[in-house]
Amino acid sequence: MRRALLLIEHTRNRELLHDWLVALDDDLAPAEEGAVSADLVVADVAGFRRARGRLRELRAREAPAHVPLLLVVPDEQAARVRNEVWQYADDVVTAPVRQGELRLRLERLLAQRARSQAAAHRLSELDRSNTDLQQFAYAAAHELANPLTAVAGAIDTVLGRDRLAAASLELLETAQKQARRMQTLIADLLAFSKVGVNAKPRAVDLDSLIRDARDALAVQIEEAGAVVEVGPCPVVVAAEPQLRLVLSNLVGNALKYGRPGVPPRIRIDCEERERDWLVSVADNGRGIAPDEVDNIFDMFSRAASGDGHGIGLALCRRAIERQGGSIWVEPNEEHGSVFRFSLPKR
Ligand code: ADP
């Protein structure tokens, strides 16, 4: 049974509407005056003004499902109703109200209510399964990390202590390498499961964030003989840890996926657009085949030849989408690629 809350100051109208609602539809009844929940609200302007706070509370409690408001306005007042009232109303009916018209409008609003409830339900299911997945990934990675640390430690100890036959040595070194690889994979998975958790947006100076990323990669930059150039960059409002992850991944990749014998040249630029900032990280590396530009952001999508895990760009996409932006890659003019991401201005 659905309930309609009547906020009608005009006594005669309130009684009439109440009786109509009782008679109108078996599935809809008037809510008690003090009801804390309702599926829709029917109000005249005075009733709305008196109970605006209550309507707001009701809607906040039901959000993201919507509680529609049908406003009843005397014909001669319709032109004088202010925007502050209109903006709350989902529909307006002019009084004197005809029963048939009221029924049509109520049916339409109830359908709207049902659609919004279904959408809210899907949203909460999605939220729940997202949280479950996140917790699962975190727990699985966490539980794997401890035994693996023990395995890696044991291998290190044997390698360090015993004089081993060449064949055993080779096998153990392979095991050591694979254990290290698995450790970084688990660390990446943990980072992925944590992206977006508890990271509040705040003012972030992109310039200093890029400087940090450069410092953190100083050894790799030096080893590759790379040049990193940075254009002027703004202060943006975003979750800092996530932006940090994105920048260090993109710069790290630009260093990793260069061309043999060609020192990497990396250029970071920021461009202001009407609604967002566009940040680009361009390199002169091996580039990305046109049929791969869409799927390299998928989890575990990686170069067959590389020794990465294919998580970095999935992490970047998740982090940027959490900021309300998007990320993509384009070919650079002659060689290499340009990774771009947008960050909405807030
Ligand atoms: P990983 O580097 O661990 O493989 P990523 O998700 O960071 O995982 O990258 C996925 C794949 O995208 C890489 O394996 C590589 O093939 C490709 N890639 C990423 N960045 C670049 C780049 N700057 N230039 C060329 N290829 C790249």
Side-chain angles (χ1 to χ4, degrees):
M1 166 70 76
R2 265 113 39 102
R3 303 259 162 212
L5 181 62
L6 294 179
L7 302 173
I8 307 280
E9 289 289 276
H10 190 289
T11 317
R12 175 80 194 96
N13 282 351
R14 185 170 61 243
E15 286 166 2
L16 192 69
L17 280 170
H18 183 277
D19 292 348
W20 279 3
L21 277 179
V22 172
L24 199 64
D25 187 339
D26 288 344
D27 192 33
L28 182 68
E32 299 301 320
E33 174 66 25
V36 288
S37 72
D39 292 288
L40 63 87
V41 177
V42 184
D44 57 13
V45 175
F48 167 78
R49 289 227 160 90
R50 180 173 59 84
R52 182 194 314 227
R54 227 173 118 206
L55 177 63
R56 237 189 252 132
E57 268 174 39
L58 191 72
R59 283 185 165 171
R61 205 175 304 120
E62 290 278 325
H66 181 59
V67 181
L69 168 66
L70 176 63
L71 199 64
V72 183
V73 186
D75 216 355
E76 71 278 7
Q77 280 181 20
R80 281 186 281 129
V81 175
R82 301 261 185 86
N83 273 348
E84 45 151 354
V85 180
W86 287 134
Q87 70 186 8
Y88 277 87
D90 295 272
D91 201 357
V92 178
V93 61
T94 47
V97 182
R98 283 177 300 121
Q99 205 168 356
E101 187 182 353
L102 181 72
R103 176 200 294 272
L104 275 177
R105 289 182 189 251
L106 288 178
E107 276 170 5
R108 207 178 63 84
L109 291 180
L110 283 174
Q112 183 185 348
R113 163 82 176 154
R115 280 194 303 275
S116 87
Q117 278 178 312
H121 182 68
R122 278 198 301 277
L123 207 66
S124 80
E125 297 262 284
L126 258 178
D127 253 7
R128 209 179 25 239
S129 84
N130 243 338
T131 314
D132 285 354
L133 268 176
Q134 205 156 347
Q135 281 170 353
F136 171 76
Y138 180 80
H142 210 257
E143 290 303 310
L144 284 171
N146 290 339
L148 187 61
T149 307
V151 171
I155 297 173
D156 289 351
T157 311
V158 177
L159 273 174
R161 200 167 55 193
D162 296 343
R163 292 174 55 219
L164 298 161
S168 310
L169 186 68
E170 200 178 311
L171 279 174
L172 274 175
E173 278 171 353
T174 306
Q176 187 187 42
K177 205 166 137 211
Q178 292 303 326
R180 297 251 186 287
R181 200 168 138 65
M182 217 155 130
Q183 277 175 315
T184 57
L185 170 62
I186 288 173
D188 286 353
L189 281 172
L190 273 173
F192 187 86
S193 76
K194 282 194 271 191
V195 168
V197 182
N198 298 332
K200 294 258 177 304
R202 61 183 188 82
V204 182
D205 181 1
L206 273 182
D207 252 336
S208 70
L209 215 58
I210 294 169
R211 218 173 307 126
D212 289 354
R214 222 161 41 170
D215 291 348
L217 291 163
V219 175
Q220 289 92 316
I221 292 176
E222 165 108 38
E223 275 175 5
V227 178
V228 183
E229 298 166 335
V230 186
C233 287
V235 171
V236 295
V237 177
E240 198 212 84
Q242 308 197 358
L243 277 193
R244 195 179 282 282
L245 262 173
V246 172
L247 287 166
S248 64
N249 264 290
L250 294 184
V251 177
N253 278 349
L255 290 166
K256 264 197 311 193
Y257 299 111
R259 280 175 293 146
V262 181
R265 194 170 195 97
I266 303 168
R267 168 127 200 128
I268 305 174
D269 283 297
C270 300
E271 183 192 323
E272 179 166 13
R273 301 195 299 186
E274 194 187 345
R275 288 163 181 267
D276 55 16
W277 290 98
L278 185 65
V279 184
S280 56
V281 180
D283 65 51
N284 61 344
R286 67 167 80 154
I288 289 168
D291 60 336
E292 283 187 347
V293 292
D294 289 328
N295 61 25
I296 54 167
F297 293 95
D298 292 344
M299 188 82 151
F300 302 126
S301 154
R302 62 195 163 100
S305 55
D307 57 2
H309 301 296
I311 297 178
L313 289 178
L315 200 103
C316 293
R317 182 168 64 183
R318 187 167 154 112
I320 292 298
E321 286 179 355
R322 293 245 161 165
Q323 311 303 304
S326 49
I327 184 167
W328 66 97
V329 63
E330 294 167 9
N332 207 351
E333 269 167 23
E334 281 193 13
H335 286 288
S337 27
V338 191
F339 283 82
R340 295 187 202 279
F341 62 88
S342 60
L343 287 173
K345 293 179 184 168
R346 301 194 210 211

